[in-house]
Amino acid sequence: SGRRALVSSDAGRVELSFSGPAPARGRTVAAWYGTARPAAILEGDPDPLVRLRRARAVQRRAREWEPVGPAGIRQEPPEHFLHAEHGGLLWALASGDRSLLPSHHAELLRNTGVSHLIAISGLHVGLVSGIVWLALRICCTPLAHFGWIRLSAWAPAIAASLAATGYAALAGWPASAQRAAIMVSAAAAARACGRSADPWNLLGAAAVIMLLSEPSEFDSLGFQLSFSAVAGILLVAPRFTRLLPPDTPWPASWCAASLGASFGA
């Protein structure tokens, strides 16, 4: 992120600092590096030594570097995106990759306050996995009439989990997409087993799995914003709907739930 990148190599893990933007996640690089200069720390900032210990890495400064091999997660868009009138915008909406987005489009999104639409988040992962789950659920419903109840329950769950994981990988595994993919997979497995999934348990499981795989995520702003926003929604949204009488029409209930979710986030 920014001008730093955590690099895995045969010699261990190294946090490289770059003079310019760090390489994209998933990129393979060859680097000549030296001792890193001590970074200036503002009061209240996380201690970089603690971050390095969590990541089990040493800190070095990249003097020279160049990419080698494939580009990793950031792939070239499909051909039809390149020929579409607004292909760069469509590709950014679908993948989060803004490399094809014209500068005037990016400025327009910023000025209108909707630039979050091209930042892949849990909303995107949830929509994709939800559509896949619903499609498989409809297709597998006839199987239950032939006695294949387990298959009709597990096929949509597995498909939704694969869709969430694949879409998060396409977007480069940002913290919000990781969280959503884990929560979707756990919720789908619980539903396939005939059990209810508590949102707080799903959120806690996502945090534990992410921090076990990468402890330094705890200091990242993406991790903190994603988990605090979901926690705020879970705390505030139900309290908004409880204020309404039981016979409230569904449009009013929907508006109250939406307002509670926005306020909680």
Side-chain angles (χ1 to χ4, degrees):
S1 62
R3 297 177 181 268
R4 295 197 309 267
L6 189 63
V7 180
S8 297
S9 68
D10 294 337
R13 309 179 89 187
V14 180
E15 185 187 77
L16 287 179
S17 57
F18 297 83
S19 57
R25 188 168 187 167
R27 171 78 72 172
T28 302
V29 300
W32 175 54
Y33 59 82
T35 305
R37 304 187 190 95
I41 306 175
L42 296 176
E43 185 177 355
D45 276 359
D47 189 342
L49 297 179
V50 175
R51 184 187 69 248
L52 290 172
R53 282 198 298 269
R54 287 174 178 158
R56 302 181 300 280
V58 295
Q59 191 174 36
R60 297 291 184 265
R61 178 170 61 91
R63 300 181 185 275
E64 295 180 10
W65 70 278
E66 61 179 349
V68 296
I73 293 172
R74 292 298 183 188
Q75 302 173 356
E76 288 297 319
E79 189 71 18
H80 50 272
F81 278 96
L82 299 176
H83 298 295
E85 182 179 359
H86 300 291
L89 177 60
L90 293 174
W91 181 243
L93 288 168
S95 68
D97 184 1
R98 309 181 188 187
S99 58
L100 299 180
L101 187 66
S103 58
H104 62 280
H105 283 174
E107 183 178 0
L108 178 63
L109 291 171
R110 285 194 301 269
N111 292 339
T112 53
V114 294
S115 58
H116 60 281
L117 293 176
I118 56 176
I120 300 302
S121 65
L123 173 65
H124 298 73
V125 176
L127 284 174
V128 170
S129 58
I131 292 171
V132 171
W133 181 87
L134 181 60
L136 264 291
R137 183 68 174 174
I138 295 173
C139 294
C140 293
T141 298
L143 297 177
H145 297 290
F146 295 98
W148 294 347
I149 299 176
R150 287 184 178 273
L151 180 60
S152 65
W154 277 102
I158 294 174
S161 300
L162 292 176
T165 304
Y167 193 77
L170 174 68
W173 291 110
S176 57
Q178 291 184 54
R179 174 195 55 73
I182 295 171
M183 294 180 69
V184 164
S185 300
R191 188 176 181 87
C193 293
R195 297 178 176 273
S196 60
D198 181 76
W200 287 106
N201 289 341
L202 297 178
L203 188 65
V208 169
I209 293 173
M210 289 177 61
L211 294 178
L212 282 176
S213 62
E214 186 56 75
S216 61
E217 282 277 13
F218 186 78
D219 282 336
S220 71
L221 187 61
F223 179 93
Q224 296 168 6
L225 284 174
S226 180
F227 278 87
S228 60
V230 175
I233 292 173
L234 295 179
L235 283 171
V236 176
R239 287 166 171 78
F240 268 68
T241 55
R242 288 173 193 163
L243 298 175
L244 301 177
D247 57 347
T248 301
W250 72 263
S253 299
W254 184 85
C255 289
S258 301
L259 181 62
S262 299
F263 187 77

